[in-house]
Amino acid sequence: MAAVTFKGGEALMARLKEIADKAGDGGTLRTGFLENATYPDGTSVAYVAAIQEFGSPEVGIPPRPFFRTMIAEKQKGWPRALGALAKNNDYDIDKALGQMGEGIKGQLQESIRDVSGPALSKVTLLLRERFGNSPESISFADVQQARHDIASGVEPNVTGTQAKPLVWTGHLLNSVD
């Protein structure tokens, strides 16, 4: 068995202690839809995001997984990225975690933008056509009318973000923190 020796052991130990002192006890990184994120009517964005992520079959909302998809695709790169950020910030853990959070935020927003299905229902599309970017003005009677109109053969005519899941008003997307 070969012997392993290190030179400059005291300098190495001093540098490791310096890094440990700068990192302190670590920190916390929270990314997603935090508790202060709400829609204008007070509805929690996290609640709406969970419905979109997992679906609500009893009211006809299929799952559109964007959060789990992002984690599955991106998490393997996070440790190396955090290590590089820590090194680039001279092991200031708060700066490194702040930059890491911004990176994960961007990944989550990209995942939201990338969702293309399942397609929105014709009723939803007709409501988007009729109410533009003002979902707060849609009443139950409006939904019932849209259902009736679709059943009577009315076809919605919307394209772009109006026809895309998750990005209608941009509120969900812009609430990632």
Side-chain angles (χ1 to χ4, degrees):
M1 176 181 264
V4 177
T5 59
F6 288 98
K7 292 185 178 184
E10 287 181 27
L12 173 64
M13 291 305 291
R15 179 63 176 143
L16 290 174
K17 182 177 180 339
E18 180 185 339
I19 291 170
D21 289 344
K22 285 182 181 179
D25 291 332
T28 301
L29 171 61
R30 296 172 56 210
T31 302
F33 305 96
L34 305 183
E35 56 277 347
N36 62 339
T38 59
Y39 283 90
D41 69 356
T43 302
S44 163
V45 175
Y47 172 73
V48 172
I51 291 172
Q52 292 299 325
E53 177 77 17
F54 297 104
S56 185
E58 63 278 3
V59 293
I61 301 172
R64 294 184 173 96
F66 59 91
F67 214 121
R68 292 173 290 170
T69 302
M70 182 272 302
I71 292 170
E73 291 175 359
K74 304 294 184 180
Q75 69 179 342
K76 289 179 184 172
W78 294 341
R80 184 178 302 276
L82 183 57
L85 288 168
K87 184 177 178 183
N88 291 341
N89 285 290
D90 197 28
Y91 300 96
D92 181 326
I93 198 65
D94 291 330
K95 281 185 182 177
L97 287 174
Q99 291 172 356
M100 186 73 188
E102 286 298 316
I104 294 172
K105 172 184 175 177
Q107 292 172 344
L108 182 54
Q109 289 174 320
E110 179 182 358
S111 184
I112 291 168
R113 284 189 294 270
D114 287 348
V115 170
S116 60
L120 298 171
S121 74
K122 287 184 177 185
V123 171
T124 299
L125 293 172
L126 188 58
L127 289 167
R128 287 182 175 194
E129 179 180 346
R130 290 178 175 170
F131 291 91
N133 282 343
S134 301
E136 67 279 354
S137 62
I138 299 172
S139 70
F140 181 72
D142 296 322
V143 174
Q144 293 300 89
Q145 183 63 52
R147 287 181 177 151
H148 176 273
D149 293 345
I150 293 295
S152 298
V154 173
E155 288 291 324
N157 183 24
V158 294
T159 59
T161 58
Q162 289 289 86
K164 195 168 178 344
L166 306 182
V167 295
W168 180 16
T169 65
H171 197 89
L172 180 76
L173 185 70
N174 294 325
S175 294
V176 177
D177 205 355

